[in-house]
Amino acid sequence: KMLAPETSSLGHSERYIKNLDSLSHVYGYAHHLYNCSFCGEFPDRFIPSMNRFNELVAQYGNKPKFQTEFEVEPITWAGAMSTALLIYNSMTVEQVSAYLYWDLFWNPDSGLISLNDPVSYTINSSYYTFKQYSAFIDSDWQRVDALTDNTSLRISAYISPDSRKLTAVIINTSDDVDISLNLSIKGISISEGEIYRSSQNENCVLAGNYDGKGLLNIPESSVTTLSLFAGED
C-alpha cells in the first residue's frame, strides 16, 4: 500500500497532496513532525497544524493518516513525557492510524535505545512511555471516546476487534500533583485488568490490578496504562 506525501512536516504536505496525479493510488497520508520550533518540547503547539491538516485532507477524501518519523529528547524524562503527549495528540486530534518513532536504535544519547559502543546499549526513558501504548494496543484495534474534566489529565482508550480487551492510556501532565481518578467505563463490563506505569523512577512497571471499580491514583508526571479484559456476557 502506498503512502504519500511523506513530507518532513504537516505544513509541507498541502502542496504535494494538491499536485498528486491521482489520489486513487494512495492508501493513506503520511508525514513527519519536523520544522516546528520547540513543538517537540511543547506538543500542544502541533494542534493548530493538525487541525489544518485534517481540514486539508478532508477536501481530497479522508484516508488513513500516519505519523511516520519524529524524535524528541529520548534520554530525559521531560522528553519521554513529550513523546507520550505527542502520541496522544496525534491519536486524538489528528486521529492517525499509527505513530512511528524515529528511531528504535541509534547513536549515543539518541533513539529509544542508544547504542553506546559495539558492546553496550542504554534503554532510554522514551522507550518506556512509547511502550505504554505499543505494548497494549494491537493491529486492528480502534480508538474509542475517552473524556475527563481534569485539565491535567489526558486520556485515550482503544478496544480490540472482538470487544474483549480495552486499553486506556492516562497521562498526568502535572509536575507536582497526584490525581485520584474515578473512572466510569460504559458499554463494556470489566472483569479484570492490570495497571502499568512509567514515571521518573518507574519503567512500565506492573503497578497493580484493576477490575474497573474504585479510585485510581495517577502520580504526578506519569503515564499509566490500564490493560483491561471484559467479562463474559
Side-chain angles (χ1 to χ4, degrees):
K1 295 179 179 179
M2 183 178 293
L3 302 179
E6 192 68 6
T7 47
S8 62
S9 71
L10 284 159
H12 289 162
S13 298
E14 183 170 4
R15 66 177 180 269
Y16 285 93
I17 292 174
K18 285 181 175 179
N19 287 284
L20 289 172
D21 287 340
S22 175
L23 284 171
S24 64
H25 299 303
V26 177
Y27 171 75
Y29 302 113
H31 63 80
H32 306 335
L33 287 175
Y34 300 111
N35 304 316
C36 181
S37 297
F38 299 104
C39 291
E41 294 80 2
F42 303 97
D44 285 355
R45 292 189 180 185
F46 279 115
I47 291 177
S49 296
M50 289 177 174
N51 286 329
R52 286 195 296 271
F53 185 73
N54 286 340
E55 293 172 0
L56 166 69
V57 298
Q59 299 175 39
Y60 297 93
N62 283 312
K63 298 174 182 286
K65 289 167 282 189
F66 299 83
Q67 194 294 113
T68 51
E69 181 183 317
F70 195 65
E71 176 188 87
V72 55
E73 293 185 7
I75 65 173
T76 68
W77 180 245
M81 284 292 290
S82 291
T83 292
L85 288 167
L86 282 166
I87 298 173
Y88 170 84
N89 284 345
S90 294
M91 292 293 184
T92 62
V93 178
E94 188 183 342
Q95 302 183 54
V96 300
S97 295
Y99 184 102
L100 280 65
Y101 192 92
W102 176 266
D103 35 4
L104 176 56
F105 297 99
W106 208 247
N107 298 324
D109 298 331
S110 187
L112 294 177
I113 299 172
S114 296
L115 302 178
N116 304 319
D117 52 50
V119 295
S120 69
Y121 62 88
T122 299
I123 301 176
N124 294 317
S125 295
S126 286
Y127 174 94
Y128 295 104
T129 53
F130 190 91
K131 182 180 179 180
Q132 294 283 152
Y133 289 90
S134 63
F136 307 99
I137 303 167
D138 292 319
S139 177
D140 294 327
W141 284 41
Q142 291 188 327
R143 189 174 64 84
V144 295
D145 286 339
L147 305 172
T148 176
D149 58 4
N150 191 312
T151 57
S152 293
L153 291 181
R154 309 286 180 92
I155 302 177
S156 59
Y158 311 83
I159 196 166
S160 63
D162 62 3
S163 299
R164 308 305 299 177
K165 298 178 182 179
L166 178 70
T167 291
V169 184
I170 308 166
I171 307 169
N172 184 352
T173 63
S174 173
D175 292 327
D176 53 12
V177 176
D178 293 356
I179 296 173
S180 293
L181 176 63
N182 185 11
L183 193 64
S184 175
I185 301 173
K186 298 180 180 180
I188 184 172
S189 177
I190 301 302
S191 62
E192 60 180 336
E194 295 173 330
I195 304 168
Y196 293 86
R197 186 167 62 232
S198 291
S199 66
Q200 184 79 49
N201 302 308
E202 299 166 302
N203 296 327
C204 199
V205 299
L206 176 60
N209 298 317
Y210 183 69
D211 61 0
K213 303 179 181 66
L215 290 175
L216 285 166
N217 179 53
I218 312 297
E220 63 185 62
S221 188
S222 67
V223 185
T224 298
T225 297
L226 306 179
S227 180
L228 307 174
F229 299 87
E232 297 294 335
D233 295 331

